[in-house]
Every structure is written in structure tokens, then in C-alpha cells.
Amino acid sequence: MKQIESRHWIFGGLFVIVIITMVLNINLEVRVTPETDRFYACLDSLPAGATVIVSFDHEASSLPEIRPLALAVLRHAFSRDLKLVGTALLAEGTAVGYRLMTQTADEYGKTYGEDYVYLGFKPQYIAAILSMGESIPDTYPEDYLGQPYRDYEMLVDVENYDDIAAVISIADGSLTTHWIEYGASRYNIRIVAAVTAAMMTTYDPYLASGQLYAMFGGLRGATEYEQLIGIGGSGKRGMLAQSAAHVYVMVLIIAGNIIYFRTRRRKGSAS
Amino acid sequence: MDWSVIIAGLLTLAIFSFLYRDNPVYKMAESLLIGVSIGYFLVITWSNTLMDLLFVPLVQDAKWPLVLPLALGLMMFGRFHKRTASLSRIPIAILIGSGAGVAIPAMLEARTLRQITATVGPLLSESGQPDWSVIVVLTGVITTLAYFYFSREHKGVLGGVAKGGTYFLMIFFGTTFGYTVMSRMSTLIGRVEFLLSDFVRLAQ
């Protein structure tokens, strides 16, 4: 049988720490950063009835991180009575996005076709973004359920980006970049993004230059947003586990460095 | 309990089993994930792309200009045989040409001009005080560019400036690494939350 190595202890320790902190279920208050606040203010300032595109630009593998972000944004949007048009530029995000939208809509008693519509997946994301700038009904003649676009009352006046208040890109990769480069640059549409933590530094330059209007991300971002809308979710529940896991990693890094330098000194004195 | 939750819980545990060692249970779960992903992608591509955008409009609505993309698409398969391989160059040329035509103006605007405009700001604020954020950004950009300037040996002033650039790069890599660790932890926390709340119902 294979021997238990140090990495098994490290992974095992992390697993135990996360489980214990999750079972404790202590809510950790976090300070809301200006970036998350700006995203919140952007949605909050839109008038009720304004149409917003929610683009699920992610794959299924990032769902644990994407779900709290998406739920927080969708809850805020539905509570503000915004009209949501869902779309997905990656195939795997299609079903995930539809599920999240319908689940949140049910929470707020929203009706499909009146308060929100899910247009579904469109291949070739650059072409899709550019095509929507010319005509959304030509890009999506039918919605995800196969109903003609023109059948929906809420979409009658929605022809292109001129009729859209903002685009919310919920992404785990570089898709938001394309929204910025082809949507914002060319059609002047306001882009806001909810992204995974790993993608935050990628979008920071766009945020600094103002090409990306607002952005928040990661489990921490979700927790901040949940705090702003006053609804607890998995972001808030996971925050203690996140912090404990980070402390665990830092302790391991420090311990690793101490062991390394002690070993080096011992080898040096031996020779 | 919902069967889908039981299956998802067992598959999550199967994936976690890799932390100890590679094993057949993990391999089965991994293969299932890849198979389902590819299957889903194929179905979506078939229905949303080939059927909706090509075959249905072409056959039902008699949109004959669509024969052109169909022909170009079929030419791609020419690569599978030596004698027809050159045919595939035509659609590839069109694809690259149109792609570059669309991308170059957008990239130039969004990635170059707008980012340069945002980088070069007044060093003094309206009150006459130094604007430190602009100074730091400008210093970072200049020193980092100096680091990536390989036409001259990094000696003397250039060497010193380039060394400054490495510190900015290290800060960037450190931040990115920190965020990536945070992202991976979030994924783990998400799955543990699912196991605890939905699968074993220990935490609600």
C-alpha cells in the first residue's frame, strides 16, 4: 500500500479545517470594497423596468464560485424590478445560467416572458457580441425554449444595445474582455462584471481605465454583495472557511520556510 | 433524498479520492465528467449552430447564400487527404482575414489607445499635490517595459530601471497567485458546502 506522504496530511488538514468551519456556520462580517459598492450602485441606480443583459460566460467547473456571485446579482436585479435578458457565450454556461435565473425568478415571483427571458447559447462569441449590437432579434430569433423572440412583450422595444441599460458578464475566463473590446468600445454599452477571484487581476487594468464600469469577484465579492443586498447566501457561509483556509496556507508557508532554512543551516554546518 | 444529489455527492467524493492517489474510482468520475461535457457541447453545437444557423434556414427557408459557409465548412475536411489538403487553405484564409479585420481595430482601441490614455495622467492633482496613484502606475509601466526591452544589455541605468520592473512584476504575480489560491479554495468550499448541506445535511 502506498505510504501516506506529507501532501496527504496537508490536503487532509485543509479538508478538515474547511469542514469544521462550515459546520460551525459562523457569519463573518466583511468590509465592502469600493469596487463591489460601485457594482451595486450601478444596478441600484437603474430605473425599474430597465432591460439588462446577463451573460453567463463560464463553464460548469467554476460553478461553486460562480453560483454565489450570480445569485447575489440576480437577486439584486429582480428585487429592483429590472427586466433581465439571459444569454450564454460558452456552451457549458447555458444550462447553468437558465437554472440560476429561473431559481432566482421563482424566489421573487417573477414570470418568464414578462420579467425575464433566457435567450440561451450563441456560438462564436465575438460574432455574437457584434451581431447583438446590430440586432438582438436577428442574433437570437428564438429564445432558449424555442419561442420566437418577437412573441415576448418585454422584448418588443429591445432591438439592440441602444435599448439595453447594462451588460452583466458573469465570467470565469476572458469572455468579459470581449464584451469590453467589442461591446463597450464599439457600441458604448456599459459593461459590469462578476468574475472568479483568479480573473480579478486580468480585468483590473480595464477597470482602472474605465472601460469596465464595475467589477467584483470571488467568494469574498459574493459575501460583500450579499451584505449589501441584505440576503445571506453561500458566500457569507463560506467566508469563515475561506479565511481559515488562508490562515492554514500561510502557516504552512511559514513552517515550510523555517524548515528549509534550518535544514540549509544544518547542512552548511555539517560540511 | 433526490437521486441527483446522491449521484453528485458520490461523484464529488470520487473526485476527492485523487487527493490520496490515482485510482479507478477517480478515473471513472473524471471520464464521466469529460464525456458528459463533450456530449453536452456536441448537442448544443448541433442544435444551436448547425441546425439553427445553417440547415434549417437553408432547407426550410431556402436561404441559398448559406450554401457558401456550408461549402467553406466542408472544405475544412479537405485536410484529411493529401490531394484535397490545399482546399482547406481557403476557409482558413477567410477565417484569419475576417478575424484579423474585426480584431485589429478593436484591440488597437481597447487594449492600446484607451489603456495608454488611462496610464498617462497628470502627475499633480488639482490641488497641486502629487497624485501618487498616477506616479506609481507610470513608474510601474516604464520600469516593466524596461525589463522587457531586450535590444540592449540590462546594465547601468537600464539595468537599474529594469530591476525596478521586476519588483512590480513580482507584486503582480503575487497578487495573481493569491487570487488564484482564493479561487481554488472557493471551489473546494463550494463542494464541501454541497456535501454538508445537500448530501449529508449536516449544515443548512
Side-chain angles (χ1 to χ4, degrees), chain A residues 59-82:
Chain A
E59 292 175 327
S61 55
S62 56
L63 192 60
E65 203 177 358
I66 284 292
R67 195 170 176 272
L69 291 167
L71 286 178
V73 171
L74 290 171
R75 280 172 177 152
H76 187 205
F78 278 127
S79 71
R80 295 275 307 117
D81 291 326
L82 300 175

Side-chain angles (χ1 to χ4, degrees), chain B residues 1 5-10 13 194-201:
Chain B
M1 195 194 277
V5 173
I6 296 172
I7 293 167
L10 292 174
L13 292 174
F194 165 76
L195 286 176
L196 291 178
S197 58
D198 296 315
F199 190 57
V200 294
R201 300 191 177 187

Side-chain angles (χ1 to χ4, degrees), chain B residues 136-153:
Chain B
V136 169
V137 168
L138 205 59
T139 313
V141 169
I142 291 166
T143 54
T144 309
L145 284 176
Y147 175 75
F148 285 107
Y149 183 72
F150 300 120
S151 299
R152 269 187 65 189
E153 202 177 344

Side-chain angles (χ1 to χ4, degrees), chain A residues 128-224:
Chain A
I129 293 168
L130 290 171
S131 175
M132 276 194 275
E134 303 303 321
S135 170
I136 300 175
D138 283 353
T139 315
Y140 291 93
E142 292 175 347
D143 73 339
Y144 186 57
L145 306 176
Q147 292 293 313
Y149 182 96
R150 302 285 185 195
D151 281 6
Y152 293 108
E153 187 76 20
M154 66 166 270
L155 295 175
V156 167
D157 295 326
V158 180
E159 194 59 39
N160 52 36
Y161 293 140
D162 292 341
D163 310 309
I164 300 291
V167 172
I168 303 169
S169 174
I170 300 171
D172 65 354
S174 62
L175 260 290
T176 308
T177 316
H178 299 300
W179 275 112
I180 295 165
E181 286 169 354
Y182 299 99
S185 285
R186 189 156 174 171
Y187 297 99
N188 222 16
I189 180 86
R190 182 178 284 185
I191 311 290
V192 291
V195 299
T196 53
M199 295 309 296
M200 298 276 278
T201 46
T202 307
Y203 296 123
D204 262 338
Y206 291 109
L207 193 67
S209 67
Q211 295 194 78
L212 178 61
Y213 186 78
M215 171 182 77
F216 77 107
L219 204 60
R220 188 195 153 99
T223 315
E224 291 172 19

Side-chain angles (χ1 to χ4, degrees), chain B residues 24-151:
Chain B
V25 178
Y26 165 76
K27 279 204 170 84
M28 183 271 295
E30 188 195 30
S31 305
L32 196 65
L33 174 74
I34 294 167
V36 168
S37 298
I38 292 173
Y40 180 76
F41 181 76
L42 281 177
V43 170
I44 284 276
T45 307
W46 175 259
S47 63
N48 286 41
T49 313
L50 293 171
M51 291 306 284
D52 286 0
L53 299 178
L54 187 63
F55 295 134
V56 171
L58 187 67
V59 177
Q60 281 185 7
D61 310 331
K63 288 187 177 173
W64 297 114
L66 288 174
V67 170
L68 199 65
L70 176 64
L72 288 168
L74 290 173
M75 281 178 184
M76 281 283 203
F77 291 104
R79 289 193 76 80
F80 293 125
H81 199 277
K82 262 186 187 172
R83 286 174 66 185
T84 53
S86 57
L87 276 177
S88 66
R89 289 181 185 166
I90 298 166
I92 290 172
I94 291 171
L95 209 67
I96 292 172
S98 57
V102 169
I104 290 170
M107 300 287 173
L108 205 64
E109 164 74 14
R111 290 195 188 180
T112 312
L113 299 176
R114 295 285 292 273
Q115 288 306 124
I116 289 174
T117 311
T119 305
V120 187
L123 297 176
L124 299 177
S125 63
E126 283 178 6
S127 60
Q129 297 294 312
D131 192 335
W132 289 109
S133 63
V134 176
I135 293 167
V136 169
V137 168
L138 205 59
T139 313
V141 169
I142 291 166
T143 54
T144 309
L145 284 176
Y147 175 75
F148 285 107
Y149 183 72
F150 300 120
S151 299

